[in-house]
Amino acid sequence: MNALTLKKGSSKKSAYNLKNTSSDILETHTLAVLVDNEAGVLARVIGLFSGRGYNIESLTVAETNHIDNLSRITIVTTGTPSVIIQIKAQLARMVAVHDVHDLTVEGPSVERELAMVKVVSSGESRVEALRTSEIFRASVVDTTLESFVFELTGTPEKIDAFVELMTPLGLVDVARTGVAAISRGL
Amino acid sequence: MSKTMTGAQMVIQALKDQGVDTIFGYPGGAVLPIYDEIFQQSDIKHILVRHEQGATHAAEGYARSTGKPGVVLVTSGPGATNAVTGMTDALMDSIPMVVLTGQVPTFMIGSDAFQEADTVGITRPCTKHNWLVKETDKLSETIHQAFHIATSGRPGPVLIDIPKDVQFATGTYTEKSKSKIDHYNPQRRGDLDAITELVELIEKAERPVLYTGGGVINSGNQASQLLRELVQETNFPITSTLMGLGSYPASGKNWLGMLGMHGTYEANLSMHGCDLLINIGARFDDRITGVLDKFSPHSKKAHIDIDASSINKVISVDIPILGDVACVLEDLLKIWKSRGNKTNSAKILDWWSQINKWRERKCLSYKNSDTIIKPQYALERLEFLTKDHPNRFITTEVGQHQMWAAQYLGFEDPHRWMTSGGLGTMGYGVPASVGVQVAHNDGLVINIAGEASWLMNMQEMGTCTQYNLPAKQFILNNERLGMVRQWQELLHGERYSNSWSESLPDFVKLAEAFGAKGIQCSDPKKLDDAIIEMLDYDGPVIFDCLVEKHENCFPMIPSGKAHNEMLMGDDKTENAIGSSGAVMV
Ligand SMILES: Cc1cc2nc3c(=O)[nH]c(=O)nc-3n(C[C@H](O)[C@H](O)[C@H](O)COP(=O)(O)OP(=O)(O)OC[C@H]3O[C@@H](n4cnc5c(N)ncnc54)[C@H](O)[C@@H]3O)c2cc1C
Ligand SMILES: Cc1ncc(C[n+]2csc(CCOP(=O)(O)OP(=O)(O)O)c2C)c(N)n1
């Protein structure tokens, strides 16, 4: 298939020329979307996903460029290759969207999520929870005689693994930020 | 020098700077300051509709028939919610429209104030973009941006919600030329490598077909001119969607008629059998493709579209070309000519003899009657009696009559055919005919209607009489929700659940009540005279044409079937649609 040049959006390395778009295999992509930081912009993006039946696995948003008033929304989504292309095109045509980057296909990137995990336990479980947290390089940000709050940063998979190990050790609550991602290198 | 003025004055100033001559609107508490300014000037004409939905469809009719954006002004709350259908309609059909709504004052937003509605929230999915303007200083620039966005790239409706305190407050006016139109500048020129690739296919194609759509009309008159040149020079056959009718003349020798669910036999079989399909400003709508995996199975496909999200959305194509139709066709013709105007002309003549055999099937023939007016006959007579009018504009409602109008009327130029395609909004036609007639004083404007659709926005007859708009309402009255009845016949065992038009008004008396002329006709022998009487009357007419009640609209590609599995008027229609087709709309 020919390269379809989008004014806004993915680079030449994008899925347009690399993927077999007729495949039914679900892929997970991390998109970085630069938007005007104006009222309702998040509702627009979320409305696009819910209205057209696309998945959102994770979504984070914050203003990242205070001078031009731009926010960066990081969305992790799944779909077939053709759905992913459609999602990017639908995002790119929105007036409030300046740029769409598909970090999954635009070369290597790093993804991180922050989680806070509350564990209530005593005795051997409490000791085990603390030991496990050290292995994961989590830090203790709050403690009482019967509880810990751990703070952990890592890939979503690392956090999943941590949560799984903490469950039998008295896990009562988890707060996760969702994924922030950025491309590697220059 | 910067000018200071109130928000309400800014609205009028900005509209003037944008060249607006007409607003379709309806007043209310939250827009009174703007109405006060309208009262004090005479450059912009305000057309008082009878319902805000009417304002939006009138603006669509105005826009589609002029190529300029339609402008709507309504109040907060119910005024805004009544405009939602028209905005959705304009979004689906890519019609440029700017809607201004009043809003409760900023300090009352969120308090469930009188006539407060979350207008930007409600209209976010049915506009191309929308704004709530909270500072008077930003109002004029926002209006200029709104016009830019409504009219550039793929056109569409935009909305500006203006709180009442912002209309009263004073601020600095920003000129049109000084307004930032930001980063929104969709690419118009296509990629030359892709265009060259398409030229190579054009040179070799044995069975090509051009599939054109509303994008040609959106692109402007030059696009139609270039399209005509392309057809003339290559001798390629051409078909169009419902939305693209008129971009190539119906009298042109390469014209195959409309394609799709109710398209012609020759158009659909050409799509099915072609080896090169060139989509020019159409969006592979489901009324066109039928079942996807049997759609045009043997062709290379090219798609020229200004919206990247239209490309590869439903049908994946070999040559995507992102750009404006006129720009791309210009480059395409240049490149093709520079390589020596080549086509595979011998093979194309063979292709034409095949197509001519399909044409001989005469798919639009129907059984006429001496005693009952067939709807097809009524439209053939209307076509005969009006086609030479230099300024004829047709609007329609939605249903069988709409499809028959597309089949039996011929359009020679773009901007002459206004219909609700994507949303299929019954009630579109009456207000649209108002908007078209407002834009074209001496045009012959005819709304082809079914009686059920017509009733949905018939209040706009009042607008017709008030402004002396001589638009003609040509109602093909079958006393049925005909299109629904047809589907019930084909799909639901002839169980005609609620598809009757009961308790219809006497349309002649209704016309008189509105101050218009009423004509009724039920005899095919008297039809011509009755139509001439309608055309000769200098004023609005409601024509109640009593037609055959159970006529079906054919050809028809049943849901879930392919282009080569069309039902024709003479086929047995029982069980024509399988259970998998029945779930589709
Ligand atoms: C009862 C009923 C039955 C129907 N049956 C049929 C039928 O049998 N046949 C049929 O054809 N339709 C039918 N329709 C209409 C159908 O639903 C669609 O509205 C229609 O087919 C879409 O037309 P289109 O593809 O030309 O797209 P449009 O909706 O007109 O979209 C235009 C396309 O062109 C692009 N574009 C816009 N501006 C430009 C530009 N400047 N340059 C390049 N590209 C541009 C847009 O991005 C878009 O992709 C029916 C509707 C109803 C209500
Ligand atoms: C607002 C709206 N409601 C319902 C429909 C579904 N619908 C499509 S065609 C039709 C019947 C139209 O009847 P009529 O206007 O009499 O036209 P006919 O088909 O008889 O020519 C209906 C109900 C619609 N398109 N729009």
Side-chain angles (χ1 to χ4, degrees):
Chain A
M1 204 175 71
N2 220 57
L4 170 64
T5 35
L6 278 176
K7 195 181 112 10
K8 300 183 279 186
S10 305
S11 72
K12 279 277 182 199
K13 276 182 282 178
S14 79
Y16 291 108
N17 22 5
L18 297 178
K19 299 281 169 173
N20 168 14
T21 52
S22 52
S23 152
D24 313 326
I25 298 166
L26 289 185
E27 297 179 350
T28 300
H29 284 238
T30 305
L31 309 179
V33 187
L34 216 58
V35 298
D36 285 320
N37 183 16
E38 59 183 27
V41 67
L42 191 57
R44 273 182 219 288
V45 171
I46 292 174
L48 170 71
F49 277 74
S50 63
R52 292 187 184 262
Y54 306 143
N55 289 317
I56 298 181
E57 307 230 312
S58 149
L59 184 142
T60 60
V61 54
E63 187 172 89
T64 51
N65 176 339
H66 303 293
I67 297 158
D68 298 329
N69 219 15
L70 296 178
S71 290
R72 181 174 171 115
I73 304 181
T74 308
I75 307 172
V76 182
T77 182
T78 47
T80 60
S82 62
V83 167
I84 301 281
I85 291 176
Q86 215 8 241
I87 290 174
K88 289 187 278 186
Q90 291 288 353
L91 284 167
R93 81 203 271 248
M94 296 177 85
V95 174
V97 170
H98 287 242
D99 241 324
V100 182
H101 285 284
D102 185 341
L103 297 175
T104 307
V105 297
E106 285 180 20
S109 61
V110 262
E111 295 190 359
R112 289 292 178 269
E113 186 175 4
L114 183 142
M116 291 198 275
V117 178
K118 184 181 284 180
V119 176
V120 176
S121 55
S122 55
E124 189 48 37
S125 296
R126 185 169 162 87
V127 178
E128 183 60 25
L130 194 62
R131 207 178 297 142
T132 309
S133 77
E134 281 161 11
I135 299 172
F136 276 80
R137 291 197 178 78
S139 48
V140 177
V141 290
D142 177 67
T143 179
T144 66
L145 289 176
E146 270 141 54
S147 70
F148 288 121
V149 175
F150 298 112
E151 179 199 307
L152 175 68
T153 323
T155 62
E157 294 74 28
K158 176 176 167 185
I159 291 170
D160 287 345
F162 185 72
V163 167
E164 197 176 313
L165 289 173
M166 286 296 158
T167 305
L169 301 177
L171 179 135
V172 294
D173 211 356
V174 183
R176 298 173 69 151
T177 58
V179 174
I182 203 159
S183 62
R184 287 181 190 269
L186 295 177
Chain B
M1 209 197 71
S2 60
K3 278 187 278 179
T4 312
M5 57 181 87
T6 68
Q9 287 166 335
M10 270 182 199
V11 170
I12 301 302
Q13 187 59 48
L15 294 181
K16 282 184 194 166
D17 287 358
Q18 288 290 338
V20 172
D21 53 21
T22 310
I23 306 177
F24 300 92
Y26 207 89
V31 280
L32 285 180
I34 301 174
Y35 271 87
D36 206 25
E37 292 303 325
I38 289 176
F39 189 79
Q40 298 176 47
Q41 56 86 50
S42 54
D43 295 339
I44 300 179
K45 188 164 52 180
H46 178 273
I47 303 291
L48 178 69
V49 293
R50 299 299 186 264
H51 185 299
E52 290 86 352
Q53 186 188 355
T56 53
H57 296 319
E60 286 187 273
Y62 177 96
R64 194 63 165 184
S65 66
T66 60
K68 296 196 290 184
V71 180
V72 172
L73 172 61
V74 296
T75 192
S76 65
T81 54
N82 273 348
V84 165
T85 302
M87 283 186 268
T88 312
D89 194 271
L91 187 73
M92 291 292 270
D93 285 347
S94 303
I95 309 288
M97 181 157 98
V98 177
V99 179
L100 306 167
T101 50
Q103 181 56 280
V104 303
T106 48
F107 52 86
M108 290 176 85
I109 288 178
S111 69
D112 297 322
F114 178 63
Q115 296 196 325
E116 179 181 359
D118 176 8
T119 301
V120 284
I122 290 170
T123 61
R124 212 172 272 130
C126 65
T127 50
K128 190 171 164 184
H129 198 67
N130 63 12
W131 298 260
L132 169 65
V133 180
K134 289 186 171 169
E135 293 155 57
T136 307
D137 274 334
K138 293 202 173 141
L139 181 55
S140 47
E141 181 166 39
T142 305
I143 296 176
H144 295 310
Q145 287 169 347
F147 274 86
H148 171 70
I149 286 164
T151 53
S152 45
R154 180 178 183 166
V158 298
L159 177 141
I160 309 167
D161 201 22
I162 314 173
K164 197 170 179 181
D165 54 334
V166 173
Q167 300 170 31
F168 274 125
T170 347
T172 311
Y173 183 80
T174 309
E175 306 286 330
K176 179 180 169 189
S177 57
K178 299 220 175 74
S179 294
K180 279 201 287 286
I181 42 175
D182 289 314
H183 61 285
Y184 191 79
N185 272 312
Q187 171 184 332
R188 291 168 59 77
R189 292 238 90 95
D191 177 48
L192 289 181
D193 292 342
I195 297 176
T196 309
E197 238 180 285
L198 175 55
V199 167
E200 283 164 13
L201 292 185
I202 288 176
E203 290 169 345
K204 285 189 284 216
E206 300 183 0
R207 286 168 283 120
V209 66
L210 301 172
Y211 149 45
T212 61
V216 184
I217 314 255
N218 285 137
S219 178
N221 288 335
Q222 201 210 348
S224 290
Q225 284 313 321
L226 291 164
L227 179 68
R228 287 163 193 222
E229 186 182 342
L230 179 70
V231 174
Q232 164 124 35
E233 300 274 316
T234 57
N235 195 27
F236 283 8
I238 174 168
T239 176
S240 165
T241 66
L242 184 75
M243 299 313 290
L245 297 177
S247 47
Y248 181 81
S251 61
K253 77 173 175 47
N254 295 38
W255 177 238
L256 303 180
M258 181 176 82
L259 82 164
M261 180 175 272
H262 292 289
T264 66
Y265 189 68
E266 50 271 34
N268 285 330
L269 287 190
S270 302
M271 290 289 282
H272 193 80
C274 64
D275 70 347
L276 173 62
L277 186 161
I278 307 176
N279 173 338
I280 308 179
R283 57 183 172 86
F284 291 111
D285 184 80
D286 53 62
R287 301 297 90 161
I288 303 306
T289 56
V291 60
L292 290 178
D293 40 9
K294 294 185 191 160
F295 175 71
S296 193
H298 314 295
S299 60
K300 286 259 183 217
K301 299 177 182 71
H303 187 179
I304 302 168
D305 202 296
I306 204 158
D307 181 356
S309 76
S310 274
I311 298 178
N312 290 326
K313 179 170 63 179
V314 266
I315 294 289
S316 96
V317 295
D318 305 282
I319 307 185
I321 302 175
L322 186 64
D324 169 65
V325 169
C327 294
V328 172
L329 288 186
E330 194 182 7
D331 289 338
L332 183 137
L333 279 164
K334 233 181 257 164
I335 295 173
W336 180 68
K337 285 177 186 166
S338 73
R339 294 163 53 111
N341 297 36
K342 284 184 293 233
T343 58
N344 195 339
S345 46
K347 289 283 187 196
I348 290 171
L349 287 181
D350 292 348
W351 178 225
W352 272 114
S353 49
Q354 169 65 66
I355 291 173
N356 286 332
K357 282 202 198 95
W358 290 329
R359 278 175 166 168
E360 279 160 26
R361 182 77 167 73
K362 298 235 175 300
C363 68
L364 294 180
S365 56
Y366 60 94
K367 261 191 225 94
N368 209 351
S369 153
D370 295 339
T371 47
I372 300 173
I373 300 179
K374 291 286 186 136
Q376 301 94 324
Y377 176 73
L379 289 171
E380 277 181 347
R381 294 321 299 162
L382 186 74
E383 168 73 355
F384 179 81
L385 294 167
T386 61
K387 68 171 191 287
D388 296 326
H389 192 286
N391 243 338
R392 185 187 72 172
F393 297 85
I394 302 289
T395 68
T396 76
E397 302 286 348
V398 169
Q400 292 179 314
H401 62 276
Q402 176 190 25
M403 294 298 113
W404 282 316
Q407 293 171 338
Y408 292 93
L409 302 184
F411 298 94
E412 297 297 306
D413 294 299
H415 304 298
R416 298 309 177 99
W417 163 248
M418 275 51 62
T419 195
S420 168
L423 198 63
T425 311
M426 292 171 70
Y428 167 89
V430 180
S433 70
V434 167
V436 176
Q437 189 79 73
V438 166
H440 305 273
N441 241 333
D442 29 86
L444 168 62
V445 181
I446 305 174
N447 176 34
I448 307 214
E451 78 295 336
S453 300
W454 192 85
L455 289 174
M456 282 209 179
N457 271 322
M458 66 163 191
Q459 76 283 350
E460 299 308 330
M461 281 310 293
T463 315
C464 276
T465 352
Q466 178 180 347
Y467 295 97
N468 274 325
L469 304 172
K472 316 295 182 215
Q473 306 298 325
F474 193 70
I475 303 176
L476 296 174
N477 184 352
N478 52 12
E479 296 172 26
R480 301 288 181 277
L481 313 187
M483 187 59 96
V484 170
R485 190 209 56 73
Q486 175 167 348
W487 280 56
Q488 289 172 334
E489 179 181 328
L490 300 179
L491 278 154
H492 295 275
E494 301 183 43
R495 289 180 297 280
Y496 295 132
S497 176
N498 293 281
S499 53
W500 254 260
S501 287
E502 300 272 1
S503 310
L504 284 171
D506 176 332
F507 285 102
V508 174
K509 281 197 191 137
L510 188 66
E512 284 157 11
F514 274 116
K517 180 182 176 67
I519 300 174
Q520 191 185 58
C521 184
S522 56
D523 180 352
K525 290 184 272 310
K526 296 188 181 141
L527 183 60
D528 274 25
D529 286 344
I531 292 177
I532 289 167
E533 186 186 351
M534 168 180 90
L535 298 174
D536 285 348
Y537 183 72
D538 184 19
V541 177
I542 300 177
F543 191 115
D544 184 16
C545 188
L546 299 173
V547 295
E548 165 71 53
K549 298 186 198 323
H550 279 211
E551 191 72 13
N552 280 332
C553 182
F554 291 119
M556 176 176 183
I557 302 175
S559 308
K561 301 274 172 155
H563 279 165
N564 59 348
E565 299 172 288
M566 226 172 309
L567 288 180
M568 308 294 273
D570 40 17
D571 287 340
K572 221 163 98 78
T573 52
E574 251 169 76
N575 299 323
I577 305 178
S579 51
S580 61
V583 301
M584 302 171 90
V585 289

